[in-house]
Amino acid sequence: MLLQTLQDIHADRKQHKKDTYRAILKLAKERVLFYARGRGSDTNTFFCIYTVPVWLPNRPLYDANKAATYVMKKLVKKEGLNVTKIAPNQLYISWEDSTTPTTVAVPSQSTMLFNLL
């Protein structure tokens, strides 16, 4: 009886973790679409920087670094985007066509941190 209860608790925690990671992935996709539509800056921008939140309201605690790795893998494999981890919980996401000449380099980490503050 106790063993079954413990197993149920573990399964619930595992499911909540998956749901949380999926919610973070959804936020990342929304950020990409926001910038792709030209609302974040000009319409010639083919990248954005996504900072994985360190916590989400009404969600269990999670490791933001692991969540960033999860989001990075999903965006690369499922969505075909170019993603680079620039900090433990920051991702540089690019959707520029490889046939288009690249005109924007990845900003330095110190510049990005300054812009976020």
Side-chain angles (χ1 to χ4, degrees):
M1 187 95 156
L2 179 61
L3 180 60
Q4 182 61 42
T5 304
L6 294 173
Q7 290 172 344
D8 291 343
I9 290 170
H10 178 72
D12 285 344
R13 284 185 180 175
K14 195 172 182 178
Q15 186 60 44
H16 286 301
K17 181 180 177 181
K18 285 182 183 180
D19 292 342
T20 300
Y21 279 25
R22 287 183 187 132
I24 295 168
L25 177 60
K26 182 180 176 190
L27 290 172
K29 288 179 182 180
E30 289 172 359
R31 170 64 58 98
V32 169
L33 289 173
F34 179 80
Y35 278 88
R37 291 180 179 127
R39 295 187 180 129
S41 62
D42 64 20
T43 56
N44 292 327
T45 300
F46 295 98
F47 73 94
C48 71
I49 296 171
Y50 177 67
T51 302
V52 174
V54 293
W55 68 276
L56 288 175
N58 301 321
R59 296 284 182 174
L61 295 178
Y62 56 89
D63 184 346
N65 186 22
K66 289 180 182 178
T69 302
Y70 170 84
V71 169
M72 184 172 135
K73 287 179 181 178
K74 291 294 182 179
L75 291 177
V76 169
K77 287 185 179 180
K78 300 273 184 177
E79 305 298 334
L81 300 174
N82 298 318
V83 182
T84 305
K85 201 177 218 187
I86 55 176
N89 67 328
Q90 280 190 330
L91 302 174
Y92 174 87
I93 305 168
S94 173
W95 55 92
E96 186 169 21
D97 186 12
S98 60
T99 60
T100 307
T102 304
T103 57
V104 178
V106 177
S108 69
Q109 188 174 2
S110 61
T111 304
M112 288 184 298
L113 291 175
F114 178 74
N115 290 336
L116 292 174
L117 298 176

